[in-house]
Amino acid sequence: MSEFRKQHPVAGVTQVIDSIKQNFITLLIVLFIGSSNTEGYFLYFLAAGLVISLFGGIFGWWFFRFRIFEDELQIEKGIFVKKKLYLSKDRIQVIDITEGILQRLFGLVKVEVKTAGGGTETATISAITREEAEELRTELRKRNNGNSNHFEDLEEDQEKKDQILSTWKLSTKDLVYAAFTSGNFGLIASILGAVSGQLNEMINEENIRFIYEIMPGYSDVTIYVALIFAIIVVSWLLSFLGVIFTYSDFRLHKTEEELIITRGLFEKKHITVPYDRIQAVRFVEGVIRQPFGYGMIYVESAGFDQNQKGRSIVLAPYISARAVSSFLNEFLAEYEEPEYGFKPPKKALFRYLRRPNYFLLLLVPVLWYFLNRGWLSLMLIPVLSILGWMRYKDAAVGFNNDILRMRYRTISRTTAIMKKNRIQAADLSQNPFQIRKGLVNFSATAASGAGGMNFGVEDLGNEDSLRIYDWVAGEKNIGRQHEGEEQNGTVT
């Protein structure tokens, strides 16, 4: 591939579609607000913006070209400002292949090339044939040692490394269960935001009178409750469909050097996760899934460039808690699960019970003052206290020679497993109330690009937290203050 090549013309259209997808919610809100306040002129501006985006996509495709030359992936792009991106083969860590809906119609794929370390961005080739993508992937994985006699040996070694050693597949039944129990209602906020611009026009005297006529006996309260219920149902349905579309035909393959994930109904994604980029493993049990004994497994992967702090990648969208150990033994054998040896003492229980209620106790007087039945918010105290008790029962830490295991709960219960040499920082902290009771918060941060993923357990005993801290510190000479004084130590 020493000669420059161009993408398929579909790349120009995909660039426009990607721009619309990234700004979809913003466009939706602006469309609602603008269409009701600009007497139609907004639509002309919107159409002009789309035309400009389309021409930008076409010219962006025309000036984009790529090739592999002298052990480098070279990309040249830019309409007014020319930009050249050169990625050395030695620094390339991941090559992801994705098939979007439009690309699949034309038998094309998108290729993303990610490098180790900072200083460069991710290289994306939006529309090439599957054959070109496989050729590109093969060429980028070759390492030129200057001796052509070893070329065949290098090819054989690469074929051996690419050989699939083990496979895990999400069954259709588990996919449906995962969709039913996803509990992802984040779209509610998006829907509320999208319709907020029209609420003043929707909720008026004429519309309310019409609703009363078709639904006699209903009050204002029941109408608002019905509206909220409808939004929740629609959001749950969208969440259900999102899981189906995202994790259909989910497969996890294990090779010698990396894990390979393929998934998606309409947009087919091919994700590679090198073992040396994995920083931690998480098993998350949502409030809906935990009673059934199921959860999701994630890996935290370090960023591949200066603009990426890291990413959480789903290894198993729906898996039994009893199967987690065998799953890790098969795909990530180094991440064993040490027994829990440290839990918050009994004297920490009351702190766990009252902590979730702090904000509520501040909010109750305000609600009581402004709402007729604001005092009913006090009924949430037992619910939040139960959440605190669950947090107390779940909090635990364990370690062996090389592995740290932590379990904690916010709303969902999370079990985090990380290698000792992947811990970027460990921290002990106390506030004055904890000092009096001899309790300490312990947290650990897994190395993950510029940011890191933080895991923490609150209100451990002094001696237990110091034992965990010393295990992380190893042979490092880490000073700490005497018992009874305010303590805030960090090891990196």
Side-chain angles (χ1 to χ4, degrees), residues 6 45 49 54 109 132 142 147 189 248 262-263 287 336 393 421 475 492:
K6 297 181 70 66
F45 288 107
L54 181 59
V109 297
E132 286 180 307
K142 292 178 183 176
N147 189 346
S248 286
T262 58
R263 61 175 175 84
V287 291
E336 58 182 305
K393 297 294 290 184
N421 61 0
E475 297 179 356
T492 58

Side-chain angles (χ1 to χ4, degrees), residues 294-358:
Y294 283 84
M296 299 177 71
I297 297 179
Y298 297 83
V299 291
E300 303 303 326
S301 178
F304 296 97
D305 56 62
Q306 63 180 359
N307 300 318
Q308 190 179 39
K309 294 183 178 180
R311 56 178 183 172
S312 297
I313 302 171
V314 176
L315 282 193
Y318 189 76
I319 187 171
S320 168
R322 292 175 296 179
V324 171
S325 295
S326 59
F327 179 92
L328 293 178
N329 287 336
E330 184 174 358
F331 291 95
L332 294 169
E334 295 179 347
Y335 286 85
E336 58 182 305
E337 298 180 284
E339 295 293 330
Y340 293 117
F342 309 96
K343 292 180 65 67
K346 291 182 179 180
K347 59 185 176 181
L349 175 59
F350 185 63
R351 287 181 54 82
Y352 272 90
L353 293 177
R354 71 172 187 254
R355 191 179 292 117
N357 290 291
Y358 287 155

Side-chain angles (χ1 to χ4, degrees), residues 7 18 64 66 73 75 77 85 87 96 103 110-114 121-127 136:
Q7 301 178 94
D18 288 341
F64 187 102
F66 66 96
L73 171 62
I75 294 178
K77 58 183 178 178
L85 178 62
L87 304 182
D96 287 344
Q103 291 150 334
K110 179 174 74 173
V111 179
E112 293 182 277
V113 180
K114 300 178 175 68
E121 64 180 55
T122 299
T124 301
I125 302 173
S126 300
L136 181 69

Side-chain angles (χ1 to χ4, degrees), residues 427-442:
D427 182 78
L428 298 180
S429 62
Q430 286 179 304
N431 59 41
F433 300 101
Q434 289 175 308
I435 293 174
R436 183 169 56 86
K437 288 198 169 186
L439 301 174
V440 182
N441 297 334
F442 171 78

